[in-house]
Amino acid sequence: LTNRQGPTGIRCHGSGARPRNLGAMPATISVELATTAPKGASIGTGVVIGKNGPEIPSGVSLTAANLAARGFEAKPGQILAIPAKSGTHILVGLGPIGALNIDTFRTAAAALARAAFSETHLAVSLVETAPTRLDRKAVAQAVTEAVLLATYTYTAHRSVVPPRALIGVTLVVRSERAMTAAVEKGKLIAEAVILNRDLVNEPPASMTPRILTSYAERAAADNGLAITIFDETDLDRERLGGLKAVSLGSAEPPRMVKMVYMPAGAARNVPTIALVGKGVTFDSGGLSLKPSDGMLTMKCDMAGAGLVISIMSIIARLAPAVRVIGYCCITENMPSGTATKLGDVMVARNGKTVENHNTDAEGRLILMDGLSLAAEDKPDAIVDIATLTGAAIVALGTEITAVMGNNRSFTSQVMAAARSVGEETWELPLFPRYRKHIDSSIADMKNIGNAGQAGSIIGGIFLQEFVDGRPWVHLDVAGPAFVNADDGMITRGGTGVMVRTLIELIETFERPKK
């Protein structure tokens, strides 16, 4: 390990590793703008449902009866491919005309991109289909994101890369100049989501704490961010008792990373939001060992830290008028003769003591140090992101993020940001009477509650102990961060869930009301 100076003079420890290119399919498809479809391109057209059924768009020779005979009802995302003289004409359902919204066009664009996977080039006319009550620039951004994310494929460890004919998508619009900024922003946001997917999909042997940290270093260097990296020799001095305890069973050293983005020319009182991400690069459960099936996907347990790194990797180009502080709590959780034992007591950064009743409830133990550090920065609000509890999957499945918060104004902001980008959330209560579930007979608290009772809520109640009363939201992404099947914009494996939500939150952030 070597000492060096960060971009603004903050002392850092090097990660001891170097980032490399990850697993998105080479030659990612291009998204361009044009006022007419390129010659030879296949055509993607949206079909709405009007008063008398599907409305036939211009250029389509089929009648309503023809569509009905082919089973096409124009339901959202429904596809009908029609051979044409040049390429293919692909119809996509948009649903009832009165119900069209931005998410309608995300769904349609993703469906078109998947349907055109074997085409060389696709011209999409969705943007101008949007009714005037919708912001067509927002539609263009959403369509761009959807096309890029729906065609993502992770191929880093395949000896033979699956073929893909599609190399480019053209958005057909009336004015290229009017839509350029929106499309470029869509590309930028998709880039962040794809990085998060790549980080999560990479096998744990090649995404160790030091390697994950190297991506944070690259994000900081590329964006001119201040960065501080605490290595294993700093844990006692910095009082990172939770991170140290979880890391003891692993031969891989832990890292705590802090990155800071400051808007150019910002005043001292600039609004500030802190992001804290759980980064367990592999979770065996520690001495509370998981069964093999439950361990198989535990490379995804660093999705929260990966999200923070992904957002910080584009933050300077995004240029929000908000100070953003990102913390990544990074370690492995492994069993060994040096591992933390059940009944051990650890001391968090803020001085509170925790008795360990289950070493597989490790995420909250590393987050308690990250949240304590974040609270010391006195931000206007804090968000933590973690694949925290299997109970969240039981309660909400794999498409909904569990949300808990201590400030109504800020919780509403986060959930509104999620709605605006089409990501699903559901709020769970931090029921005060459940605080007794984590009472310990020998310490300030223990790290789990009563078996089979409100597991996700108990995780949130535990984390609340470390935010020093500052406005805070906890996002439990255990369900939607890693999935087993493609669906619309989502691809199998790491999903990049909540990247788009938190970018929207940062860009629209307002100091929470008390």
Side-chain angles (χ1 to χ4, degrees), residues 57 192 351 441 507:
S441 61
E507 291 202 304

Side-chain angles (χ1 to χ4, degrees), residues 302-317:
M302 39 62 66
L307 179 148
V308 174
I309 293 169
S310 299
I311 290 176
M312 300 308 259
S313 74
I314 67 164
I315 195 76
R317 286 175 286 163

